[in-house]
mmCIF file of all heavy atoms in Angstrom:
data_model
loop_
_atom_site.group_PDB
_atom_site.id
_atom_site.type_symbol
_atom_site.label_atom_id
_atom_site.label_comp_id
_atom_site.label_asym_id
_atom_site.label_seq_id
_atom_site.Cartn_x
_atom_site.Cartn_y
_atom_site.Cartn_z
ATOM 1 N N GLY A 7 -18.104 22.663 -36.276
ATOM 2 C CA GLY A 7 -17.615 23.571 -37.298
ATOM 3 C C GLY A 7 -18.694 24.069 -38.225
ATOM 4 O O GLY A 7 -18.754 25.262 -38.568
ATOM 5 N N LEU A 49 -30.517 24.606 -32.145
ATOM 6 C CA LEU A 49 -30.470 24.484 -33.600
ATOM 7 C C LEU A 49 -31.699 25.112 -34.239
ATOM 8 O O LEU A 49 -31.606 25.811 -35.266
ATOM 9 C CB LEU A 49 -30.375 23.009 -33.997
ATOM 10 C CG LEU A 49 -29.054 22.297 -33.674
ATOM 11 C CD1 LEU A 49 -29.208 20.789 -33.831
ATOM 12 C CD2 LEU A 49 -27.924 22.810 -34.567
ATOM 13 N N GLY A 177 -9.830 1.900 -18.866
ATOM 14 C CA GLY A 177 -9.270 0.562 -18.851
ATOM 15 C C GLY A 177 -10.188 -0.500 -19.412
ATOM 16 O O GLY A 177 -10.031 -1.695 -19.108
ATOM 17 N N ASP A 192 -38.504 -0.307 -27.763
ATOM 18 C CA ASP A 192 -38.942 1.046 -28.111
ATOM 19 C C ASP A 192 -38.155 2.114 -27.369
ATOM 20 O O ASP A 192 -38.490 3.294 -27.423
ATOM 21 C CB ASP A 192 -40.440 1.219 -27.836
ATOM 22 C CG ASP A 192 -40.794 0.980 -26.369
ATOM 23 O OD1 ASP A 192 -39.912 0.559 -25.592
ATOM 24 O OD2 ASP A 192 -41.962 1.214 -26.000
ATOM 25 N N PRO A 211 -35.661 2.929 -38.180
ATOM 26 C CA PRO A 211 -36.508 1.724 -38.169
ATOM 27 C C PRO A 211 -35.803 0.485 -38.711
ATOM 28 O O PRO A 211 -36.239 -0.636 -38.447
ATOM 29 C CB PRO A 211 -37.686 2.121 -39.066
ATOM 30 C CG PRO A 211 -37.765 3.602 -38.955
ATOM 31 C CD PRO A 211 -36.340 4.055 -38.860
ATOM 32 N N HIS A 231 -19.818 -12.822 -36.407
ATOM 33 C CA HIS A 231 -21.266 -12.602 -36.326
ATOM 34 C C HIS A 231 -21.906 -13.459 -35.237
ATOM 35 O O HIS A 231 -22.683 -12.952 -34.410
ATOM 36 C CB HIS A 231 -21.879 -12.922 -37.701
ATOM 37 C CG HIS A 231 -23.364 -12.801 -37.763
ATOM 38 N ND1 HIS A 231 -24.014 -11.667 -38.212
ATOM 39 C CD2 HIS A 231 -24.348 -13.682 -37.423
ATOM 40 C CE1 HIS A 231 -25.319 -11.860 -38.153
ATOM 41 N NE2 HIS A 231 -25.555 -13.065 -37.676
ATOM 42 N N LEU A 303 -22.105 28.906 -28.362
ATOM 43 C CA LEU A 303 -21.415 29.971 -27.626
ATOM 44 C C LEU A 303 -20.390 30.681 -28.504
ATOM 45 O O LEU A 303 -20.326 31.922 -28.525
ATOM 46 C CB LEU A 303 -20.724 29.385 -26.392
ATOM 47 C CG LEU A 303 -21.625 28.893 -25.255
ATOM 48 C CD1 LEU A 303 -20.787 28.289 -24.142
ATOM 49 C CD2 LEU A 303 -22.477 30.027 -24.700
ATOM 50 N N HIS A 346 -20.128 -0.887 -15.628
ATOM 51 C CA HIS A 346 -19.029 -1.833 -15.643
ATOM 52 C C HIS A 346 -18.669 -2.421 -14.285
ATOM 53 O O HIS A 346 -17.790 -3.284 -14.201
ATOM 54 C CB HIS A 346 -17.780 -1.152 -16.230
ATOM 55 C CG HIS A 346 -18.027 -0.492 -17.551
ATOM 56 N ND1 HIS A 346 -17.913 0.866 -17.745
ATOM 57 C CD2 HIS A 346 -18.412 -1.009 -18.739
ATOM 58 C CE1 HIS A 346 -18.200 1.158 -19.002
ATOM 59 N NE2 HIS A 346 -18.501 0.047 -19.626
ATOM 60 N N GLY A 351 -14.952 -7.962 -11.791
ATOM 61 C CA GLY A 351 -14.304 -9.045 -11.067
ATOM 62 C C GLY A 351 -14.118 -8.756 -9.592
ATOM 63 O O GLY A 351 -13.590 -9.585 -8.849
ATOM 64 N N THR A 358 -21.797 -2.567 -4.795
ATOM 65 C CA THR A 358 -22.153 -1.145 -4.741
ATOM 66 C C THR A 358 -22.816 -0.695 -6.037
ATOM 67 O O THR A 358 -23.683 0.184 -6.024
ATOM 68 C CB THR A 358 -20.911 -0.283 -4.466
ATOM 69 O OG1 THR A 358 -19.908 -0.543 -5.450
ATOM 70 C CG2 THR A 358 -20.354 -0.573 -3.077
#
Side-chain angles (χ1 to χ4, degrees):
L49 291 167
D192 60 353
H231 177 96
L303 290 177
H346 308 116
T358 56

